[in-house]
Amino acid sequence: MQTKTIEEYRLNQDPDLPDCLQSPNRLFWKKDGISKISPDCKDVFKHLSDQPFLSPLIKEGEERRPLRVGAVFSGGQAAGGHNVLSGLYDALKQFHSESRLFGFLNGPGGLIKGEYEEITEERINRYRNLGGFDMIGSGRTKIETSDQFQKSEKVIRDADLDGLVIIGGDDSNTNAALLAEYFLEQGVKTRVIGVPKTIDGDLKNADIETSFGFDTATKTYSASIGNILRDSLSAKKYWFFIKLMGRAASHIACECALQTHPNLTLIGEEIAKDNRSFQDLVEEIADLVELRAKNGKNYGAVLIPEGVIEFIPEFQSMIQELNRSSDSLSEKSEHCLKELPKFIQDQLLLDRDPHGNVKVSQIETERLFIEAVKEKLAQRKSDVKFNAQPIFCGYEGRSCLPSIFDSNYCYALGHVAASLINANQTGYMAAIQNLQANVRKWQAAAIPLTSMIHMEERKGKMKPVIEKALVELDGPVFSRLSAERENWKSRDDFLYPGPIQFFGPEDLTHQTTLTLQLTPAKVLETK
Amino acid sequence: MQTKTIEEYRLNQDPDLPDCLQSPNRLFWKKDGISKISPDCKDVFKHLSDQPFLSPLIKEGEERRPLRVGAVFSGGQAAGGHNVLSGLYDALKQFHSESRLFGFLNGPGGLIKGEYEEITEERINRYRNLGGFDMIGSGRTKIETSDQFQKSEKVIRDADLDGLVIIGGDDSNTNAALLAEYFLEQGVKTRVIGVPKTIDGDLKNADIETSFGFDTATKTYSASIGNILRDSLSAKKYWFFIKLMGRAASHIACECALQTHPNLTLIGEEIAKDNRSFQDLVEEIADLVELRAKNGKNYGAVLIPEGVIEFIPEFQSMIQELNRSSDSLSEKSEHCLKELPKFIQDQLLLDRDPHGNVKVSQIETERLFIEAVKEKLAQRKSDVKFNAQPIFCGYEGRSCLPSIFDSNYCYALGHVAASLINANQTGYMAAIQNLQANVRKWQAAAIPLTSMIHMEERKGKMKPVIEKALVELDGPVFSRLSAERENWKSRDDFLYPGPIQFFGPEDLTHQTTLTLQLTPAKVLETK
């Protein structure tokens, strides 16, 4: 039997394209409302202050010129990155056969150092629909200093780029806006377009319905969680404490909880709002363990978002203090730290990330909760069996074969980015809206990056930032979770979504996240 | 859109059945060679000493009688268990519409306590092709004492069972043989049939080509490992130390390595043969880290079988001593223990499993190696970047939606078990052979359990056991690994198998493990 791998099948699959992107040469842009820039940002973004939103205008096109475009991956991997590049490539080549696409190597560092390679037809054809960022690599270098800006400018000028596409999260897109502004100021022709990437799902707002990678990551984690819930129900002897990747916000936890119905899900934003202490949470879990034990159930599962401890008030203060300096903790934080098991103390004091922060993802929150619940049950002199296993759903969800949703979404985002550069637009985020609908009905849009930016204190200095979208406690996703979760506590109402499917019935292959399905399509409603 | 879940699609899918099992009522059995029982076992198995192998005989059937059969899951979950039950059920009902199937609850404990429930049509239809053992649960109670044997006998008599199907690993199938012998001795009519279950892949021999669950588990782990390798290649900054579930033997590691090509794979059996010390292995990994760093690659992945430390000579002695008693360690083992990081010492001294053994699966071998490599690099005053992440591929691989292979395999095993009970055979393991071929060509067989059993010392007493099949270092699977792995060290020859597919091209959905593909089909060759 001649066999092909799943990657070989996926490589040769054309993504579906929305109607509005079917003919790149007939796609133009029209103004669609003025963005409101935060007043305190006006000084930072003199050139980008009053940018309009743009929406597609389909009309007969004129001859297009060849474009030279660079692309860079910034930050952690998210499934679909290669399709942003293939979408870019295909659109640029449709504009003009002499258009050329370049990839900066290993993240923004490659841009500063002028390390890039051409993305040729032969090369892009080896990565269509595939996972990872490995065609050109990614990195976390931040373009911050004026020296770095100048170096980037020189590289861009030398490469004679018409456009630069920055594929990244909130920080990277803030950076895209700053670069766009800087290039305008310097009279550099290079247009800068951002693309919303992060598995965390926290780069979204009224205009950006979701970031790419969230769909694939949550499906990958939900498959694992479902398997683990089924295992827990079969063996009936383990409590699984499952930590989910996703830096600050608890979107991944919400989505995975709705997909799998675990017995308890911690939501960082709710904990912060209710001002709950670590001991409160431990009490709640211990209560649940005892409640289920009374029903003969010495098993279950708790979902823990990676960033949860930053939402627990006393930990939040402690981590903020640690991020400034570990030498001068307040008495309260010192106490909080010393009360923790030794292995957690070590993890908090470990070396920091390039931004100087505690590596929250290195903290074994899942083990911390297990130890604390054990201790709590011992204090209560409870005789329930509590046999717990820590699980981390993390790195395996970032570079996977993108789901059909992320494949299509990213390919469309690449088309939008190419079209905006062709239209000489800069400082925009490429957007695709109406994502709950069939791909053909998806809508393209261009969102001024400055419309998302405000000033925030970072390490004592005011900086422009794109606010991370936290879980809205009065929003439809959390409301659904909140309405249903009580039922999941004592019952075993587990769901088992299974692995991502690429073939077969469309209701399996094309299913979007519940987060997206539950969120009203605001843009279309108002248009 | 009316949407169905993947489980709803799978529930309604009829497994493929081998030609020889298509008409249960025409399936009979003929002798096919005499088994050689180990001489020292003859006293233990007086009635089962000289059992023949059986192979199918297809002929016109006579009227069949209704059968009453009980089934029990024993030990850890493996994907496909519910299909053993559905195969049993469907075959029994084809024999006679008044046949009845019962499930003992939560493992062998349910058999001893007489806790069982009828598996009705309505009930089985909710579990066809689904993962987990949760329809009736599983457990690790061993039927050992004469009191337990007597209680089981009473339960079986009261339930008036014609047959008992024990779905388990090596220990559970040894137990099946002992029960079969005991029932014969006591004049109980109940026939006992074993079914080979374990994700570890160590219940196999010339007659049993694979145990069920190995296919799904290795595919699930390989999907994760592939994702992680791609992540490592994309971010270029992490070394992943990936521990794989699978108690003793390294079959899972071999299979996953062949599926994904990580930079290094530890194989317990090889380590034992070469008498390599822990420090040897740490040196080897540190060498690899430095070699790759020289090529600018501060990333990579190492696969570590869960049971590896039991194969490291000094650890092996220490664990054996700990399994006897932690109070009186030899000087050498005491030294070995004290040299380990504190968190590993704690894990070794933690409370034991029901068999009284160190919980090898609780030992964070992946972290142990990371810490030791760190220390080694520091000793060498090496300046390479070594940023390592521990990963555990474990519980999520046991209760997943069974692959199409495991669905079909288990359904066929259920048919064989039913047919053997109908033929009044006892003390057999149900077997399906020629598994590399198309399902239609699979062959049914009955293997005397005693043909696999020999006497071994367990806790100072000689006991009958089915030997765990270790990785054969001169076998085709390890040979392939051994021939290819040198290439995987410095290059990035990673493969990304992706998630298990249930729809679409057969070369994706019906692909078996490489372990199975590489192993010659001995039985058919000699027939």
Side-chain angles (χ1 to χ4, degrees):
Chain A
M1 181 166 64
Q2 181 68 30
T3 65
K4 288 205 288 183
T5 64
I6 195 166
E7 292 202 324
E8 287 165 328
Y9 280 104
R10 292 298 297 154
L11 273 173
N12 295 305
Q13 180 70 46
D14 289 329
D16 292 329
L17 257 184
D19 286 340
C20 62
L21 300 178
Q22 292 279 340
S23 308
N25 288 323
R26 295 177 62 233
L27 174 60
F28 294 83
W29 298 90
K30 61 171 192 250
K31 295 185 187 179
D32 195 6
I34 295 295
S35 73
K36 289 154 283 185
I37 187 169
S38 168
D40 53 1
C41 290
K42 283 194 176 164
D43 285 349
V44 183
F45 296 104
K46 295 197 175 71
H47 297 269
L48 294 173
S49 268
D50 296 307
Q51 283 194 301
F53 289 88
L54 303 177
S55 64
L57 175 70
I58 308 297
K59 61 176 188 182
E60 280 318 305
E62 58 249 36
E63 194 68 20
R64 304 215 166 183
R65 65 203 158 99
L67 294 171
R68 295 171 63 87
V69 173
V72 61
F73 288 127
S74 181
Q77 285 70 247
H82 288 138
N83 268 24
V84 176
L85 301 183
S86 67
L88 258 176
Y89 180 90
D90 289 350
L92 290 173
K93 285 291 179 183
Q94 283 201 47
F95 295 159
H96 200 289
S97 64
E98 286 170 31
S99 288
R100 293 171 73 183
L101 178 63
F102 303 90
F104 288 99
L105 301 183
N106 304 319
L111 176 54
I112 298 169
K113 290 184 271 182
E115 294 175 353
Y116 58 88
E117 289 175 359
E118 181 158 5
I119 297 175
T120 59
E121 179 81 20
E122 188 272 326
R123 198 159 177 196
I124 197 82
N125 285 347
R126 285 187 285 124
Y127 290 91
R128 289 178 185 274
N129 298 313
L130 300 196
F133 283 179
D134 47 298
M135 177 164 50
I136 55 174
S138 183
R140 291 192 188 270
T141 305
K142 282 184 96 168
I143 302 178
E144 287 184 305
T145 65
S146 60
D147 179 55
Q148 289 172 324
F149 273 86
Q150 284 161 23
K151 282 185 174 151
S152 303
E153 181 194 339
K154 181 167 181 343
V155 169
I156 294 280
R157 281 188 192 266
D158 290 350
D160 190 27
L161 294 188
D162 299 291
L164 173 66
V165 178
I166 294 180
I167 302 156
D170 50 343
D171 276 352
S172 311
N173 276 287
T174 306
N175 229 235
L178 291 168
L179 267 179
E181 175 72 23
Y182 177 77
F183 289 165
L184 288 173
E185 178 69 33
Q186 302 298 317
V188 181
K189 71 170 178 181
T190 313
R191 316 284 90 177
V192 183
I193 302 297
V195 173
K197 172 231 70 171
T198 167
I199 66 163
D200 300 359
D202 59 2
L203 175 48
K204 66 174 175 184
N205 49 53
D207 302 303
I208 303 296
E209 298 180 4
T210 189
S211 53
F212 79 79
F214 180 70
D215 186 270
T216 308
T218 52
K219 282 175 176 150
T220 301
Y221 298 151
S222 295
S224 273
I225 296 165
N227 290 346
I228 288 163
L229 290 172
R230 186 139 226 166
D231 204 67
S232 132
L233 181 61
S234 301
K236 301 192 178 69
K237 65 174 181 178
Y238 290 125
W239 271 91
F240 291 100
F241 282 57
I242 306 171
K243 185 174 75 172
L244 295 167
M245 191 175 251
R247 181 66 203 268
S250 301
H251 298 292
I252 289 181
C254 277
E255 174 67 24
C256 292
L258 290 172
Q259 293 288 353
T260 63
H261 300 187
N263 305 105
L264 187 69
T265 303
L266 302 182
I267 299 295
E269 293 83 344
E270 185 186 24
I271 292 166
K273 185 191 126 239
D274 297 344
N275 201 21
R276 299 187 68 190
S277 70
F278 180 63
Q279 284 307 323
D280 278 351
L281 300 173
V282 173
E283 293 274 0
E284 180 179 2
I285 301 173
D287 288 349
L288 178 64
V289 169
E290 293 204 286
L291 168 75
R292 287 180 59 85
K294 262 185 211 152
N295 301 324
K297 296 178 178 181
N298 294 310
Y299 60 90
V302 181
L303 295 195
I304 304 170
E306 180 178 271
V308 79
I309 67 168
E310 288 184 291
F311 286 97
I312 300 171
E314 69 267 32
F315 284 13
Q316 197 178 28
S317 320
M318 178 182 64
I319 289 171
Q320 278 171 2
E321 290 178 34
L322 284 170
N323 283 345
R324 288 195 208 108
S325 152
S326 27
D327 301 331
S328 57
L329 291 183
S330 68
E331 200 172 323
K332 199 176 154 200
S333 293
E334 187 76 32
H335 177 76
C336 176
L337 184 68
K338 292 291 173 241
E339 287 285 293
L340 296 172
K342 180 71 172 57
F343 72 99
I344 295 286
Q345 291 186 32
D346 288 349
Q347 286 165 4
L348 284 165
L349 298 169
L350 268 184
D351 56 349
R352 309 303 167 81
D353 75 8
H355 306 210
N357 297 319
V358 168
K359 283 184 183 164
V360 175
S361 68
Q362 301 291 307
I363 303 171
E364 290 183 281
T365 331
E366 65 281 31
R367 284 177 198 274
L368 170 60
F369 275 103
I370 288 174
E371 291 309 316
V373 170
K374 260 186 209 164
E375 202 170 299
K376 180 66 62 189
L377 292 169
Q379 277 172 17
R380 292 182 184 179
K381 302 199 193 321
S382 168
D383 59 353
V384 303
K385 280 186 202 163
F386 178 65
N387 196 347
Q389 298 287 350
I391 307 268
F392 177 39
C393 290
Y395 297 96
E396 74 277 21
R398 314 197 304 176
S399 292
C400 4
L401 202 58
S403 65
I404 288 183
F405 174 86
D406 274 324
S407 299
N408 289 333
Y409 181 40
C410 290
Y411 191 67
L413 287 169
H415 270 70
V416 173
S419 178
L420 289 168
I421 291 168
N422 178 74
N424 212 25
Q425 300 293 344
T426 192
Y428 281 96
M429 182 175 285
I432 299 288
Q433 300 171 331
N434 200 29
L435 290 169
Q436 301 152 329
N438 181 288
V439 179
R440 300 298 296 260
K441 304 288 166 217
W442 287 2
Q443 294 296 325
I447 314 301
L449 285 165
T450 50
S451 73
M452 310 174 194
I453 294 177
H454 69 278
M455 302 301 284
E456 230 180 73
E457 194 194 310
R458 290 279 170 100
K459 298 192 165 203
K461 281 188 191 162
M462 293 306 285
K463 298 245 177 180
V465 297
I466 295 178
E467 197 171 9
K468 280 185 201 295
L470 298 182
V471 170
E472 291 177 12
L473 298 178
D474 54 357
V477 182
F478 180 77
S479 298
R480 169 74 74 93
L481 177 64
S482 176
E484 294 194 1
R485 64 185 172 182
E486 204 55 35
N487 293 325
W488 307 341
K489 283 192 166 176
S490 52
R491 284 193 233 153
D492 299 328
D493 196 23
F494 307 146
L495 298 179
Y496 319 108
I500 295 178
Q501 297 297 298
F502 294 93
F503 308 91
E506 283 214 356
D507 48 355
L508 296 184
T509 56
H510 285 65
Q511 197 70 259
T512 61
T513 57
L514 279 162
T515 301
L516 205 49
Q517 288 172 48
L518 291 170
T519 309
K522 294 179 196 170
V523 173
L524 285 204
E525 277 177 1
T526 59
K527 277 187 186 171
Chain B
M1 182 165 66
Q2 179 70 29
T3 66
K4 287 204 290 183
T5 65
I6 194 165
E7 293 202 324
E8 287 166 327
Y9 280 103
R10 292 298 297 154
L11 272 173
N12 294 305
Q13 180 69 46
D14 288 329
D16 292 329
L17 255 185
D19 285 341
C20 64
L21 301 178
Q22 292 279 340
S23 307
N25 287 326
R26 295 177 61 233
L27 174 60
F28 295 83
W29 298 88
K30 61 172 191 253
K31 295 185 186 178
D32 195 5
I34 293 296
S35 74
K36 289 154 286 184
I37 187 170
S38 168
D40 54 1
C41 289
K42 283 193 175 166
D43 284 351
V44 183
F45 296 105
K46 293 196 176 71
H47 297 269
L48 294 174
S49 268
D50 297 307
Q51 281 192 301
F53 290 88
L54 303 176
S55 64
L57 175 70
I58 308 297
K59 60 176 189 182
E60 281 317 306
E62 56 249 38
E63 193 68 22
R64 303 213 165 185
R65 65 206 157 95
L67 294 172
R68 295 171 62 88
V69 173
V72 61
F73 288 127
S74 180
Q77 285 70 249
H82 288 137
N83 269 25
V84 175
L85 301 182
S86 66
L88 259 175
Y89 180 90
D90 289 350
L92 290 172
K93 285 290 179 184
Q94 283 201 46
F95 295 159
H96 200 288
S97 64
E98 286 171 31
S99 289
R100 293 173 71 182
L101 178 62
F102 304 89
F104 288 99
L105 301 183
N106 304 319
L111 176 54
I112 298 169
K113 289 183 272 183
E115 294 174 354
Y116 57 89
E117 288 174 1
E118 181 158 7
I119 297 174
T120 59
E121 178 81 23
E122 188 271 327
R123 196 157 178 199
I124 197 80
N125 285 345
R126 285 188 283 122
Y127 289 92
R128 290 179 186 272
N129 299 313
L130 300 195
F133 283 180
D134 47 298
M135 176 164 50
I136 55 176
S138 183
R140 292 191 186 271
T141 305
K142 283 183 94 169
I143 302 177
E144 287 184 305
T145 65
S146 61
D147 179 55
Q148 289 173 323
F149 273 85
Q150 285 161 22
K151 281 185 175 150
S152 303
E153 182 194 337
K154 180 168 185 337
V155 169
I156 293 281
R157 281 187 191 268
D158 291 349
D160 189 27
L161 294 188
D162 300 289
L164 172 66
V165 179
I166 295 181
I167 302 157
D170 50 343
D171 276 352
S172 311
N173 275 287
T174 305
N175 228 234
L178 290 167
L179 268 179
E181 176 72 24
Y182 178 78
F183 289 166
L184 288 174
E185 179 68 32
Q186 303 297 318
V188 181
K189 69 171 177 179
T190 314
R191 315 285 91 175
V192 184
I193 302 296
V195 173
K197 172 232 70 170
T198 167
I199 66 163
D200 300 0
D202 59 3
L203 176 47
K204 68 174 172 183
N205 49 52
D207 302 303
I208 302 298
E209 297 181 6
T210 189
S211 54
F212 79 78
F214 179 70
D215 186 270
T216 307
T218 53
K219 282 176 175 149
T220 302
Y221 298 152
S222 295
S224 273
I225 296 165
N227 290 347
I228 287 163
L229 290 172
R230 186 139 228 166
D231 203 66
S232 131
L233 182 60
S234 300
K236 300 191 178 70
K237 65 174 183 180
Y238 290 125
W239 271 92
F240 290 100
F241 282 57
I242 306 170
K243 185 173 75 172
L244 295 166
M245 190 173 252
R247 181 65 203 269
S250 301
H251 298 291
I252 289 181
C254 276
E255 174 67 24
C256 292
L258 289 171
Q259 294 286 354
T260 62
H261 300 187
N263 304 106
L264 187 70
T265 303
L266 302 183
I267 300 296
E269 292 83 343
E270 186 186 24
I271 292 166
K273 185 191 129 243
D274 296 345
N275 201 24
R276 300 186 67 190
S277 70
F278 180 62
Q279 284 307 324
D280 279 351
L281 300 172
V282 172
E283 293 274 1
E284 181 179 1
I285 301 173
D287 289 348
L288 179 64
V289 169
E290 294 204 288
L291 169 75
R292 287 179 61 85
K294 265 186 207 149
N295 300 324
K297 297 177 176 180
N298 294 311
Y299 61 90
V302 181
L303 295 194
I304 303 171
E306 179 177 272
V308 80
I309 68 168
E310 286 184 291
F311 286 98
I312 300 171
E314 70 268 30
F315 284 13
Q316 197 179 28
S317 320
M318 178 182 65
I319 290 171
Q320 277 172 3
E321 291 178 34
L322 285 171
N323 281 346
R324 285 193 212 110
S325 152
S326 29
D327 300 331
S328 56
L329 291 184
S330 67
E331 202 173 319
K332 200 177 151 197
S333 294
E334 186 76 33
H335 177 75
C336 176
L337 184 68
K338 291 292 173 239
E339 287 286 291
L340 296 172
K342 180 69 171 56
F343 72 99
I344 296 287
Q345 290 186 33
D346 288 349
Q347 286 166 5
L348 283 164
L349 298 169
L350 268 184
D351 57 349
R352 307 305 167 81
D353 76 8
H355 306 212
N357 296 318
V358 168
K359 283 183 184 167
V360 175
S361 67
Q362 302 291 307
I363 303 171
E364 291 183 280
T365 330
E366 66 280 31
R367 284 178 198 273
L368 170 60
F369 275 102
I370 289 174
E371 292 307 317
V373 170
K374 259 187 209 163
E375 204 169 298
K376 180 64 64 188
L377 292 170
Q379 277 171 17
R380 292 183 184 179
K381 304 198 193 320
S382 168
D383 60 352
V384 302
K385 281 186 202 163
F386 178 65
N387 196 346
Q389 298 286 351
I391 307 268
F392 176 39
C393 289
Y395 297 96
E396 74 277 22
R398 313 198 305 178
S399 292
C400 6
L401 202 58
S403 65
I404 287 183
F405 174 86
D406 274 325
S407 299
N408 289 333
Y409 181 39
C410 290
Y411 191 67
L413 287 169
H415 273 255
V416 173
S419 179
L420 289 169
I421 291 166
N422 178 72
N424 212 24
Q425 299 294 344
T426 191
Y428 281 95
M429 181 176 284
I432 299 288
Q433 301 170 330
N434 200 29
L435 291 169
Q436 300 150 330
N438 180 287
V439 179
R440 300 299 295 260
K441 303 290 167 214
W442 287 1
Q443 294 296 325
I447 315 299
L449 284 165
T450 51
S451 73
M452 311 173 194
I453 294 177
H454 68 278
M455 303 300 284
E456 230 180 72
E457 196 194 310
R458 291 277 169 100
K459 299 195 164 201
K461 279 187 190 162
M462 293 306 287
K463 297 247 178 177
V465 297
I466 294 178
E467 197 172 9
K468 280 186 201 295
L470 298 182
V471 171
E472 292 177 11
L473 298 178
D474 54 357
V477 182
F478 180 77
S479 298
R480 168 75 74 94
L481 177 64
S482 176
E484 294 193 2
R485 64 185 171 182
E486 204 54 36
N487 293 325
W488 306 342
K489 283 193 166 175
S490 51
R491 286 191 232 152
D492 299 328
D493 197 23
F494 307 146
L495 297 179
Y496 319 109
I500 296 178
Q501 297 298 298
F502 294 93
F503 307 92
E506 282 214 356
D507 47 354
L508 296 183
T509 56
H510 285 65
Q511 198 69 260
T512 60
T513 58
L514 279 163
T515 301
L516 205 49
Q517 288 173 48
L518 290 170
T519 308
K522 294 178 198 172
V523 173
L524 285 203
E525 275 176 3
T526 59
K527 275 186 186 170

